[in-house]
Amino acid sequence: MANLYDLLRSRFEGDPERPFLAVPEAEPRSYADLDSRSAAFAAALVESAVEPGDRVVVQVDKCPDAVALYLACLRIGAVIVPLNVAYTAEEVRYYLDDATPRVVVVRPEPEFDPEPERRPEFNPEPERGSEPSTWLTLDEEGHGSLPELAAGRSHTAVLPRDTDDIAAMLYTSGTTGRPKGAMLTHGNLASNALALNSLWGFGPQDVLLHALPVFHVHGLFVALHCAMLSAAKVIFLPRFDTRAVRRGLREATVMMGVPTFYNRLLAEPDFGRGDCTAMRLFISGSAPLSETVFRAFTERTGHTILERYGMTEAGMITSNPLRGDRKAGSVGFALPDVDLRVVDEASKELEPGEVGEVEARGPNLFAGYWQMEEKTRAAFHANGFFRTGDIGSLDSEGRLQLAGRASDMIISGGFNIYPKEIELCLDEAPGIGESAVVGLPDADFGEQVAAFVVPAPGHALQETDIRRAVEGRLARFKHPKQIFIVDTLPRNAMGKVQKAALRKAHGGG
Ligand code: MLC
Ligand code: AMP
């Protein structure tokens, strides 16, 4: 049973009429509904010539059909490549060129035209000799409608897969700003899902409050797989909206969120115990949870947030315990089957308390970066340990404390933002000499993007010039929230920009 879909289905097929996805103001969709919808979508994908191993790029709004599409890809052995809905056409083009998908499923644009030549924005030049992709939407009807193509069809078979076969590819950037496709196998996803479902004590009586996006590991895999393995109900909110979340909490027993969710709940003066009478577990991850929020949440609700740590390439790596002490500032113990170590620059394992790079090994570790063998080799040691790029220390009991990151990546509201990508965009703009982008503290998002920009000789710059430089090119969540027009950037003796100095001078660590 190596196809992840077989594993998921084995947990609900005994009682398929159980409610699965409950969207506000609609009848909950049962497990049977999602099973048959995914079989119909699978048939439509096969009809569109999708073969095992082919990539299916998906950039759609969060809805039950988005989940059905994911399950359809699993069924037929296709590789789903989910993309952030905030990405601009220019950003999407990179992913299409890199992933060379057989099918692209997009949210319908008003001017959407599935004929490639007539589609000005989404017109990927097929590269590396690939055939042009088929473009579909999740619209109920109309040109390119996947539901229409799926009507009356059903591909009920589930393709046998090896644990090493790729199920999904999620892009993650690097210091160069060039995103890499992390290939996750059926085995990676299944092992992590089984470990978390058991570790966090999921059962059929649970109701998961789901307000996360479904284009990242957190919302698509961690949350959905945990619920599906127990055939549990999911309150499926289109996005995080504080009022809707508070309403959902009345019925929910578990919530998974990024720290911003908790910041926002605490910002409501009347939020407290009365909001979470059915709750048994609040889980946080994807970004550091401050000790202040951790303690304030316990004070206000009586619940101790369970913090866990993970990343795209590894799914979840550590977790605080369900039973036992959940420590503020610690992301907990390695998951069962996961080896964890902290090493120095010479890759020597460090003693408890010593700070170094965090490395992990286990069945959760990805199969490599898509068509980037050198980068894959550089990310792993010969003994299988993966360099996470995170800095931290283990205590004598084996709990991990994170202390930062090796790169200057910014995490804003749980989205990773790579300064290099923004700097490259700014530096191309007329009138800009050079730029440095750093993360500064933000009460809501944890960190926010700040840009320090030096005008080119003989030019004067306004803030609007900087805004114009990124408009339409970078997703809005990457746009600088603070802009500083400066004469020079601080540099060290080697000529490298001292980003730490910039952060420090503006209230950052
Ligand atoms: C939205 N905006 C952001 C932002 N999200 N800006 C910075 N950082 C963010 N995260 C901007 C938009 O561009 C827009 O700007 C404005 O805020 C309002 O947009 P919105 O869509 O209404 O925002 P909101 O609903 O408030 O979203 C905030 C959020 C959301 C925190 C709820 O970003 C979110 O759901 N984040 C979760 C991310 C996540 O799932 N990460 C997991 C990664 S997996 P403008 O200019 O247009 O007004 C991973 C592994 C692991 O890390 O361990 O889990
Ligand atoms: P991503 O590449 O989007 O998967 O993001 C993974 C990164 O998020 C990790 O490498 C960490 O830097 C960060 N991260 C995830 N969980 C936590 C956490 N609980 N505390 C601090 N950072 C976290």
Side-chain angles (χ1 to χ4, degrees):
M1 190 164 57
N3 189 314
L4 173 65
Y5 190 69
D6 271 331
L7 169 67
L8 298 171
R9 192 167 62 173
S10 71
R11 302 300 187 97
F12 63 76
E13 64 191 351
D15 192 2
E17 295 308 325
R18 289 175 62 80
F20 177 21
L21 298 177
V23 176
E25 283 152 42
E27 274 296 299
R29 305 278 287 272
S30 68
Y31 276 91
D33 288 340
L34 265 289
D35 185 59
S36 60
R37 188 70 161 171
S38 71
F41 282 1
L45 292 177
V46 170
E47 178 72 19
S48 305
V50 175
E51 289 180 11
D54 281 348
R55 275 79 55 215
V56 174
V57 166
V58 175
Q59 192 192 31
V60 299
D61 289 328
K62 185 178 172 185
C63 61
D65 271 354
V67 178
L69 180 55
Y70 164 51
L71 301 178
C73 289
L74 288 181
R75 271 177 182 277
I76 61 168
V79 176
I80 191 164
V81 186
L83 295 184
N84 192 324
V85 288
Y87 289 152
T88 63
E90 184 176 326
E91 289 168 315
V92 170
R93 185 182 302 265
Y94 171 86
Y95 298 111
L96 296 178
D97 287 347
D98 192 65
T100 55
R102 164 71 46 223
V103 161
V104 184
V105 186
V106 290
R107 59 213 305 216
E109 307 283 327
E111 72 282 10
F112 177 75
D113 187 334
E115 292 302 316
E117 329 62 80
R118 296 206 300 268
R119 216 176 317 113
E121 280 213 312
F122 292 100
N123 186 18
E125 286 296 316
E127 286 197 347
R128 303 188 197 105
S130 67
E131 294 290 310
S133 321
T134 299
W135 287 67
L136 300 171
T137 76
L138 284 183
D139 249 9
E140 274 308 316
E141 52 190 28
H143 212 35
S145 157
L146 175 65
E148 215 169 60
L149 186 60
R153 296 178 198 268
S154 181
H155 180 96
T156 48
V158 178
L159 187 77
R161 296 275 78 188
D162 281 338
T163 40
D164 291 346
D165 282 324
I166 309 302
M169 191 159 96
L170 274 75
Y171 277 90
T172 165
S173 292
T175 43
T176 56
R178 201 174 150 230
K180 310 182 283 271
M183 297 183 286
L184 295 163
T185 65
H186 284 258
N188 292 151
L189 299 178
S191 69
N192 218 227
L194 288 165
L196 297 174
N197 174 272
S198 144
L199 204 65
W200 294 338
F202 268 83
Q205 73 293 342
D206 272 319
V207 178
L208 175 74
L209 182 58
H210 192 304
L212 290 159
V214 287
F215 43 72
H216 279 312
V217 162
H218 196 165
L220 185 60
F221 302 144
V222 181
L224 285 178
H225 293 167
C226 268
M228 291 186 82
L229 285 179
S230 290
K233 179 173 166 182
V234 178
I235 300 174
F236 203 58
L237 301 180
R239 51 185 287 277
F240 184 93
D241 168 82
T242 311
R243 275 176 59 188
V245 165
R246 288 185 69 177
R247 225 174 293 125
L249 280 178
R250 291 184 204 145
E251 189 198 347
T253 63
V254 184
M255 184 177 91
M256 296 186 195
V258 296
T260 300
F261 287 16
Y262 296 100
N263 297 340
R264 290 188 180 178
L265 287 172
L266 288 173
E268 301 265 296
D270 63 338
F271 173 75
R273 285 170 196 266
D275 283 88
C276 14
T277 48
M279 283 298 287
R280 68 172 183 88
L281 186 60
F282 286 97
I283 302 174
S284 174
S286 309
L289 180 72
S290 80
E291 294 200 22
T292 317
V293 171
F294 177 88
R295 294 192 200 293
F297 200 82
T298 307
E299 231 162 77
R300 199 82 86 72
T301 64
H303 286 275
T304 309
I305 298 173
L306 181 154
E307 189 175 7
R308 93 310 179 272
Y309 154 65
M311 63 192 306
T312 302
E313 290 94 330
M316 297 302 98
I317 301 170
T318 70
S319 172
N320 271 279
L322 181 65
R323 292 177 196 84
D325 254 6
R326 299 177 197 159
K327 284 207 175 150
S330 163
V331 292
F333 302 98
L335 298 193
D337 292 340
V338 175
D339 297 326
L340 197 61
R341 66 178 197 178
V342 172
V343 299
D344 66 10
E345 277 165 13
S347 299
K348 188 176 128 310
E349 200 164 339
L350 294 171
E351 293 296 319
E354 293 183 321
V355 175
E357 185 170 353
V358 179
E359 298 192 336
R361 177 173 69 183
N364 54 330
L365 262 303
F366 74 129
Y369 296 114
W370 168 252
Q371 295 183 333
M372 290 188 180
E373 274 169 33
E374 225 165 89
K375 289 214 155 56
T376 304
R377 256 196 308 277
F380 284 95
H381 291 283
N383 60 7
F385 270 102
F386 170 69
R387 306 165 205 260
T388 64
D390 290 309
I391 304 296
S393 62
L394 287 165
D395 70 12
S396 53
E397 293 179 302
R399 288 177 194 267
L400 181 67
Q401 276 73 237
L402 291 175
R405 294 178 290 275
S407 77
D408 57 3
M409 176 181 90
I410 299 165
I411 304 187
S412 170
F415 287 152
N416 292 1
I417 301 172
Y418 290 83
K420 190 78 193 167
E421 190 188 353
I422 304 168
E423 289 161 1
L424 288 173
C425 182
L426 290 175
D427 294 352
E428 278 175 16
I432 294 182
E434 58 175 352
S435 63
V437 168
V438 301
L440 292 181
D442 182 288
D444 184 31
F445 290 131
E447 284 186 295
Q448 61 170 246
V449 174
F452 294 80
V453 184
V454 180
H459 284 264
L461 282 177
Q462 310 286 329
E463 256 194 53
T464 46
D465 300 318
I466 316 301
R467 300 205 184 284
R468 208 174 306 123
V470 293
E471 191 59 51
R473 295 198 60 197
L474 299 177
R476 294 191 68 85
F477 69 87
K478 301 177 190 170
H479 291 195
K481 294 216 170 19
Q482 282 196 70
I483 293 167
F484 301 90
I485 295 165
V486 294
D487 293 335
T488 53
L489 296 172
R491 289 180 186 278
N492 65 14
M494 313 286 292
K496 195 167 181 279
V497 177
Q498 292 176 301
K499 292 198 169 178
L502 288 174
R503 279 195 295 268
K504 217 167 201 159
H506 293 85

